[in-house]
Amino acid sequence: MTAARDALPEGLLRGDRRAVARAISRLEQGSDDAAALRAGLAAHLGRAHVIGVTGAPGAGKSTLVHALLGALVARGRRIGVVAVDPSSPISGGAVLGDRVRMGEHGAHPDVFIRSVAARGHLGGLSPSTRAIVDVFDAAGFDTVIVETVGAGQSEVEIMRVADTRIVACAPGLGDDVQAIKAGILEIADLLVVTKADLAGAANTARDLREMLHLRAPAVAGAWQVPVLSVSATQGEGVAGLLDRVLDHGAAGGRGRRLRPGPAASPQAERVFRLAAADPFVDTLGIACTRASAGEAEVRLRLRADHLNFMGRCHGGVVFALADTAFGLAANSHGAMAAGIDAHITYQQAAQAGDTLVARAREVSRTRRLAVYRVEVEREDGQSVSSFTGTVYLTRQHHP
Amino acid sequence: MSETLIPKVLVTKIGFDGHDRGSRVVAAALRDAGMEVIYTPPWQEIAAVVKLATEEDVDVIGISSLATDHLIVPKLMQALREAGLGDVAVIVGGIVPDEDEQQLLDAGVARVFHPGSSLPSIAEAVRALAAAVRARRATA
Amino acid sequence: MNKPIDAPFGLDAAAPGDAGLARWREEYAAQIGTDRAVHNRSGIPIKPLYTAADWSPGRESAMGLPGQPPYTRGIYATMHRGRTWTQRQLIGLGTPAEYNARLQGVLAAGATAVSLIPCNSVFRGVDMDASHVELLGTCGTVINTAEHMDRALQGVDLAVTSCALNDPSPFTLLAFMLAAAKKRGTDWRRVSGTSNQSDYISHYVANHMFFRIALPGARRILGDHIEFCNRFVPKWNPMSVVGQHMQQAGATPAEAMAFTLATAIQNAEDCIARGMDPDAFLPRFTFFFDISITFFEEIAKFRAGRRIWARMTRERLGAKDPRSWRFKFHGQTSGVDLTRQQPLNNVARVAVQAMAGIFGGLQSLHTDAYDEALSCPSEFGARIAVATQNILREEAHLTDVIDPLGGSHYVEALTDQMQAEIERVMGLVEEAGGMYRAVESGLVQRLIGESARRFQAQVDCGEQTVVGVNAYQVDEDRSARPVNARPDPAAMRAHLEDFRAFKAARPAGDVARALDALARAANDARDNVFGRVVEAAEAGCTHGEICATLRRELGFGHVQAVV
């Protein structure tokens, strides 16, 4: 244990700005001691209340975060902000403009803003983003705000990073309520209608309440998801939002991200942990979105560098996605499973910008061998590929 | 497992001048060259630049100066050193009279880019400076 | 035999018919070798030859005559042959006393009007005791009080000499000048000049340095300013709509003209919404444009602008007085075209740009000094700039004929094409809900940024030559470059001490009352904010105090960072 403690840089635990920043860089860059650093942070987590803000582009996330920062600073909080901007799919570079949109708060001594480029990771959240949140937690920030890219796809990743999840929705965005896909409502702790001074805001709020009622009916004793209206530019509703956020934190939200949820099985927890520890998964940008005993679901949004010379998704990428689901499902029970055979058929080509989903399920399992079937589809249900794999179950177990 | 170096660059303006055509074009060019760029509007206070550079752990700071704002760059260099950011590379682009260029280099500025500098040459220089900064930090 | 008046005279044969043109085409194709497609900066394709097939006087887009709508050939009947353009050289450096000395020199050398650029600290809205001392007075004059303005304009009769002040919202420099005039006993009704570049929209979009107060507040103050001047300073031009900033930020000439006209329409409609009669304020609207080195494109841009403005003031704004339809503009040769390499080449560039402005029919001209790209211009350079104008007028006789390029197949065809492109861009702004909304949403900034990037790409790949930069480079003898004048540090220190003493000695009660009235006016739509600014100037308030008060009440002018 002492070795892990030594891995923490001088000054980090007392919140020295430079130490915190350099530690974040080492995690972002995947330096050799990154794993040790992450392990060292583990003992110092749990004090921070992590607030995630997501929503479609144009939903007003940055303005909302700016307003929340003002309210938090006024209440004497120390806030770390992770601001995620999209990377260019062509050049891989990015202009990180979120920080500037947070205005004058960036200069406040109790605010620390770190801008992060999504680098192709789904929803903008990669294993390093999670680690950045941990750094802020360990460094003594009592509040951490994570603002995601918000591509309108399922931002389920945010589930595992934030304690309190805010989904922002602006009125008049066209399909506003329809644009909130299944999966988002299940993870939202608060729904916020931004730009509430605009016409149509009241309708949007009403539609959201109806949808909540239908898809996620209230359970007695559990947190009731509120729909709040905020006009950051007019300064209305911000204090009320912050109150509800803090309520959620106090009602068991704070630190939730670190605890396995009551519904999550040990197998699911194991799968998520294994996925997070897989460097190749990280490189490709694959996200694990669901898991249970013998089953795993992974997703990948295709980038330009996933394509072949014909501009279609490279077969190897589809294989890797299916193989990832396969491997996670096979290892979910705890025994270390090694793949010994795999077959794949390709039904249809996919292209950049598509999101692929691979779902693995167990077909058979004996003492030493197990077989899995993986279906790879586009998010709209179109079948892309089918995969069958066999594993040999070793005598070793995952720690 | 280390990623290929993606330079993190701050492009900003200190002092009074507000002409930002050059800084915006350079920020876009650096992004198109695969770098991660934090871009700010003009009139940043020196203290705010130092705080930003600290938190974002930038490799290179690009200062755009058209009027005579380069005259306070030495103050910025001093502030960076005092904050422990002496290893960050600083470049200045814009209108810098010849007789002031040496002063800037003496104050620790890595390079001065004059009007007519091509965007690819700026991107190349920034990439090299970022690599040097990372290499120095790795061994420190 | 009498030839019809509009037949081309001097040609013995019949006008070029199909046979002659076909032969030219053949010979051209055979001799040209590899021809390349040529476009001007606004994206209009340029042919090697223009004939009557491209434009002839019989067409609907008739040129008209100078002084008559649509004013394509000029807004006045006499144009430069009658009254030459105002030679108005922008100057500003150091302390008011140093400025005054430079001013006297420029007036003696033939300039006919005064122009004042304040220090960048003034543009940012801060007083000299709150600035980095290294930056004071390096690019403009440090004027923070009415007394400073009085000193700067020592020996200038404000009832006679026209003054242009680079003076963004809330127009404190004009307030200081009016206070000084009142003290001298000069009647405000005789004071003439321009609130140069008073256009807050162009500042928000492209010259951020001038943008002090948030958009809605800036809009309000501009309206108050126009109304105040309309009533109390009737010979003053309060509205200078600016195309220069946007063109310098990268807008193509057509875009710059389009955005400027759209801004003028926006400002005019704001005034009409306040109940003002268009014929009461439009005659005092002036324009300020960049003149780049794309010679014919600039000439066509200005001619097209005149036409469009004449039509829009009448049809859209309902102006009946012909003075309202006249597009009056000041042109400044574009600093963006000047290079640091081989700086003396800039003298040639400025001469060409000035010619384009003259042929474009401007009313007032500033020529840049050749060392503009090296730092703030020297006195030596400023003298050459003024001499350039004198040479063009008096040696080259460029003003003896009104609109000499009128009737040229190329210039007229290009004027029509520029008009079409300008109107297309104006259409985009209309769709976005008008210029105010268009800049609020960032549309204009994005379009300008794209044009800027496109141009830079053309230079970087060598498609657009810049002599001395990407072609015809030489190893230069750097010692040949002029040394830059910096303000005398001792004089600036004395100016600063003086200022501190002034603040300590002035009656604090008057200052507090004036700033309080100003703050209340900002929150009362019935009061005139600019009127209170003038009162504050008279009470001894400083520039920084006035700006801080209005920024507090109406919002600080933050700009969007759009990459």
Side-chain angles (χ1 to χ4, degrees):
Chain A
M1 259 0 266
T2 349
R5 189 159 275 241
D6 289 346
L8 289 184
E10 159 64 32
L12 194 155
L13 289 176
R14 53 183 169 78
D16 174 73
R17 216 170 282 271
R18 213 166 82 243
V20 170
R22 294 273 161 100
I24 293 174
S25 298
R26 279 156 59 198
L27 292 169
E28 250 194 326
Q29 292 157 21
S31 58
D32 297 333
D33 56 353
L37 184 51
R38 258 186 247 193
L41 293 170
H44 304 276
L45 305 179
R47 271 174 311 180
H49 182 190
V50 182
I51 305 169
V53 180
T54 189
K61 296 184 292 297
S62 295
T63 315
L64 190 63
V65 172
H66 172 268
L68 276 174
L69 274 176
L72 284 162
V73 158
R75 297 194 200 195
R77 298 297 181 112
R78 226 175 119 231
I79 312 116
V81 182
V82 185
V84 187
D85 270 305
S87 295
S88 157
I90 301 162
S91 74
V95 170
L96 307 175
D98 254 357
R99 182 196 186 103
V100 156
R101 286 193 276 278
M102 291 174 196
E104 67 282 13
H105 300 305
H108 196 282
D110 290 336
V111 176
F112 187 125
I113 301 180
R114 180 70 175 223
S115 308
V116 171
R119 296 187 187 173
H121 292 288
L122 204 64
L125 292 174
S126 64
S128 56
T129 313
R130 286 192 282 279
I132 295 172
V133 171
D134 287 347
V135 171
F136 280 133
D137 192 353
F141 287 84
D142 47 59
T143 314
V144 181
I145 300 180
V146 182
E147 188 196 327
T148 72
V149 172
Q153 308 285 335
S154 45
E155 266 81 24
V156 193
E157 278 292 288
I158 198 178
M159 170 161 56
R160 288 184 294 121
V161 173
D163 302 323
T164 301
R165 302 148 205 156
I166 300 175
V167 177
C169 182
L173 267 190
D175 277 336
D176 24 308
V177 177
Q178 270 37 260
I180 302 189
K181 305 211 169 190
I184 299 292
L185 283 183
E186 277 92 350
I187 61 154
D189 298 310
L190 295 100
L191 291 172
V192 176
V193 177
T194 56
K195 310 183 195 182
D197 49 302
L198 293 183
N203 289 340
T204 304
R206 190 200 59 220
D207 289 345
L208 285 171
R209 283 189 192 103
E210 276 174 20
M211 192 172 256
L212 262 181
H213 188 67
L214 289 171
R215 290 212 261 178
V219 173
W223 172 262
Q224 316 282 22
V225 177
V227 176
L228 302 165
S229 294
V230 170
S231 168
T233 45
Q234 309 288 339
E236 279 161 22
V238 179
L241 169 62
L242 182 55
D243 283 338
R244 299 312 308 277
V245 166
L246 296 175
D247 283 347
H248 182 263
R254 187 170 67 90
R256 177 172 74 172
R257 68 193 176 92
L258 302 167
R259 298 188 297 269
S265 59
Q267 291 87 349
E269 268 310 300
R270 176 175 298 119
V271 166
F272 288 129
R273 215 173 43 241
L274 292 174
D278 189 316
F280 189 58
V281 158
D282 197 25
T283 300
L284 279 185
I286 294 172
C288 180
T289 44
R290 265 195 245 275
S292 57
E295 292 187 354
E297 177 191 279
V298 296
R299 284 169 195 256
L300 173 66
R301 180 138 47 96
L302 297 180
R303 305 185 300 245
D305 63 353
H306 290 141
L307 307 184
N308 62 18
F309 49 78
M310 291 190 289
R312 302 275 191 266
C313 183
H314 196 291
V317 170
V318 178
F319 190 100
L321 187 68
D323 180 78
T324 302
F326 161 54
L328 289 173
N331 280 276
S332 63
H333 298 290
M336 281 191 188
I340 54 174
D341 187 69
H343 307 276
I344 193 166
T345 58
Y346 300 104
Q347 281 87 277
Q348 209 178 79
Q351 34 224 0
D354 283 349
T355 295
L356 299 181
V357 187
R359 294 186 186 92
R361 62 179 178 80
E362 201 169 85
V363 165
S364 96
R365 189 184 180 85
T366 65
R367 215 159 46 88
R368 283 276 90 88
L369 293 176
V371 177
Y372 293 81
R373 180 104 178 137
V374 184
E375 292 303 327
V376 183
E377 294 172 353
R378 282 205 322 237
E379 261 199 342
D380 62 2
Q382 191 63 251
S383 174
V384 170
S385 166
S386 301
F387 170 111
T388 309
T390 307
V391 290
Y392 175 76
L393 300 165
T394 71
R395 285 194 172 80
Q396 290 172 285
H397 284 256
H398 292 289
Chain B
M1 178 204 76
S2 56
E3 300 182 13
T4 42
L5 196 160
I6 300 181
K8 199 151 184 205
V9 186
L10 166 62
V11 174
T12 186
K13 292 176 70 73
I14 54 180
F16 290 136
D17 178 51
H19 295 91
D20 62 354
R21 171 180 181 172
S23 59
R24 276 188 288 132
V25 166
V26 167
L30 294 180
R31 173 201 56 208
D32 294 342
M35 305 186 202
E36 289 169 359
V37 184
I38 297 179
Y39 175 82
T40 77
W43 318 298
Q44 295 301 309
E45 294 290 341
I46 286 177
V49 170
V50 172
K51 181 173 192 279
L52 192 159
T54 306
E55 291 173 0
E56 304 284 1
D57 201 19
V58 301
D59 304 309
V60 181
I61 299 176
I63 302 286
S64 155
S65 168
L66 260 72
T68 45
D69 296 324
H70 65 279
L71 294 174
I72 58 170
V73 168
K75 275 184 180 169
L76 170 68
M77 303 306 296
Q78 171 77 352
L80 286 169
R81 272 190 298 269
E82 282 167 7
L85 296 182
D87 60 348
V88 173
V90 177
I91 61 172
V92 176
I95 295 191
V96 177
D98 292 329
E99 60 266 24
D100 295 342
E101 181 168 347
Q102 191 54 49
Q103 235 177 347
L104 291 182
L105 298 173
D106 292 341
V109 168
R111 218 168 124 181
V112 174
F113 288 92
H114 298 285
S117 306
S118 78
L119 295 174
S121 71
I122 296 174
E124 208 181 289
V126 169
R127 200 185 300 281
L129 286 168
V133 168
R134 296 272 180 106
R136 265 198 307 272
R137 283 195 192 144
T139 55
Chain C
M1 181 180 69
N2 287 329
K3 293 196 179 134
I5 292 171
D6 57 3
F9 55 94
L11 287 175
D12 297 327
D18 287 341
L21 201 52
R23 181 174 148 201
W24 171 79
R25 277 203 197 100
E26 264 172 49
E27 289 177 1
Y28 179 82
Q31 295 168 25
I32 188 72
T34 26
D35 202 355
R36 35 178 244 297
V38 177
H39 293 86
N40 66 11
R41 284 188 192 180
S42 299
I44 293 170
I46 307 297
K47 299 169 21 166
L49 180 73
Y50 287 76
T51 65
D54 298 295
W55 181 90
S56 67
R59 304 234 296 221
E60 273 165 52
S61 56
M63 296 184 286
L65 289 164
Q68 296 175 21
Y71 303 111
T72 315
R73 306 199 73 178
I75 59 173
Y76 300 124
T78 52
M79 283 308 288
H80 304 140
R81 183 152 167 165
R83 183 187 138 167
T84 191
W85 62 83
T86 315
Q87 259 170 246
R88 204 188 282 276
Q89 294 298 102
L90 289 174
I91 50 169
L93 192 72
T95 63
E98 285 166 319
Y99 171 81
N100 192 256
R102 173 87 79 102
L103 175 62
Q104 300 296 354
V106 163
L107 289 171
T112 48
V114 167
S115 185
L116 173 72
I117 309 185
C119 173
N120 286 347
S121 60
V122 174
F123 280 129
R124 282 314 295 149
V126 300
D127 285 335
M128 67 182 94
D129 56 358
S131 304
H132 294 277
V133 72
E134 297 92 332
L135 302 183
L136 285 176
T138 56
C139 296
T141 312
V142 182
I143 294 188
N144 293 158
T145 66
E147 205 254 309
H148 293 165
M149 181 61 88
D150 193 27
R151 246 187 277 158
L153 297 178
Q154 205 65 256
V156 175
D157 185 353
L158 295 175
V160 165
T161 311
S162 166
C163 297
L165 305 174
N166 270 280
D167 187 24
S169 189
F171 315 110
T172 47
L173 294 183
L174 176 60
F176 292 147
M177 202 181 93
L178 291 175
K182 188 179 269 191
K183 225 181 66 163
R184 293 180 188 185
T186 306
D187 186 346
W188 286 359
R189 284 170 303 184
R190 301 183 62 192
V191 171
S192 67
T194 308
S195 290
N196 225 353
Q197 310 188 40
S198 50
D199 170 9
Y200 69 95
I201 287 180
S202 72
H203 304 158
Y204 181 67
V205 170
N207 189 349
H208 310 313
M209 193 156 72
F210 290 14
F211 190 69
R212 295 180 183 134
I213 294 169
L215 265 184
R219 188 182 194 177
R220 152 90 191 276
I221 298 177
L222 178 62
D224 284 355
H225 178 65
I226 295 173
E227 264 193 279
F228 183 94
C229 291
N230 202 250
R231 279 179 68 196
F232 301 111
V233 199
K235 293 175 77 180
W236 189 262
N237 298 316
M239 179 77 258
S240 158
V241 193
V242 185
Q244 184 212 34
H245 303 320
M246 295 192 261
Q247 193 160 324
Q248 296 217 332
T252 67
E255 284 171 343
M257 179 58 74
F259 294 142
T260 309
L261 291 174
T263 301
I265 302 274
Q266 178 74 66
N267 290 334
E269 287 179 338
D270 285 352
C271 287
I272 291 170
R274 279 169 173 246
M276 292 178 74
D277 172 16
D279 287 318
F281 61 82
L282 281 176
R284 289 254 164 245
F285 265 36
T286 64
F287 293 86
F288 183 111
F289 280 100
D290 209 33
I291 314 168
S292 76
I293 200 171
T294 56
F295 186 75
F296 290 107
E297 185 175 0
E298 289 289 333
I299 294 167
K301 169 184 108 186
F302 293 126
R303 296 170 101 248
R306 269 197 293 278
R307 247 193 235 156
I308 299 173
W309 183 245
R311 194 190 73 234
M312 299 209 80
T313 45
R314 227 178 335 173
E315 291 173 13
R316 177 145 170 186
L317 302 175
K320 302 190 184 63
D321 185 344
R323 285 176 306 162
S324 299
W325 310 333
R326 286 196 191 119
F327 184 83
K328 292 203 301 279
F329 73 99
H330 168 88
Q332 176 166 344
T333 60
S334 180
V336 173
D337 290 331
L338 305 185
T339 64
R340 182 179 180 274
Q341 294 78 351
Q342 303 169 40
L344 290 176
N345 290 346
N346 293 329
V347 176
R349 293 190 176 99
V350 169
V352 171
Q353 292 166 332
M355 281 170 59
I358 293 165
F359 292 143
L362 44 62
Q363 279 59 59
S364 167
L365 172 64
H366 166 95
T367 35
D368 280 353
Y370 75 94
D371 50 0
E372 205 84 36
L374 293 165
S375 83
C376 294
S378 61
E379 209 167 318
F380 176 70
R383 241 183 293 143
I384 296 176
V386 174
T388 302
Q389 295 189 30
N390 295 336
I391 289 166
L392 292 178
R393 192 180 54 244
E394 291 166 50
E395 291 183 25
H397 293 274
L398 293 189
T399 54
D400 288 359
V401 175
I402 301 164
D403 190 36
L405 297 182
S408 145
H409 300 302
Y410 175 36
V411 169
E412 295 298 347
L414 189 59
T415 301
D416 288 348
Q417 287 174 301
M418 287 293 281
Q419 179 176 348
E421 175 62 12
I422 292 166
E423 284 170 345
R424 182 191 71 83
V425 176
M426 288 179 81
L428 294 176
V429 172
E430 266 308 293
E431 263 170 46
M435 193 62 177
Y436 186 88
R437 294 266 203 87
V439 310
E440 230 183 355
S441 73
L443 167 69
V444 172
Q445 295 89 319
R446 268 193 302 278
L447 291 172
I448 293 177
E450 277 159 28
S451 296
R453 272 199 289 284
R454 224 175 294 132
F455 186 78
Q456 187 61 40
Q458 284 168 349
V459 170
D460 279 347
C461 77
E463 201 182 301
Q464 171 64 55
T465 299
V466 183
V467 173
V469 172
N470 65 2
Y472 312 108
Q473 296 106 322
V474 295
D475 277 329
E476 292 175 65
D477 174 15
R478 285 187 161 197
S479 65
R481 301 213 181 141
V483 179
N484 301 288
R486 285 278 149 76
D488 172 21
M492 192 55 73
R493 267 195 307 274
H495 188 39
L496 192 50
E497 276 321 301
D498 205 42
F499 179 67
R500 290 198 175 109
F502 165 83
K503 278 173 76 169
R506 64 190 172 155
D510 291 352
V511 169
R513 265 188 300 276
L515 291 177
D516 191 52
L518 181 60
R520 274 181 285 118
N523 292 298
D524 179 1
R526 294 161 307 169
D527 202 342
N528 189 300
V529 169
F530 180 64
R532 299 297 181 186
V533 170
V534 175
E535 283 167 21
E538 288 169 345
C541 298
T542 70
H543 170 72
E545 286 164 346
I546 294 170
C547 289
T549 304
L550 289 173
R551 276 167 158 166
R552 198 186 59 230
E553 301 300 325
L554 295 172
F556 193 99
H558 289 292
V559 297
Q560 271 184 35
V562 177
V563 175

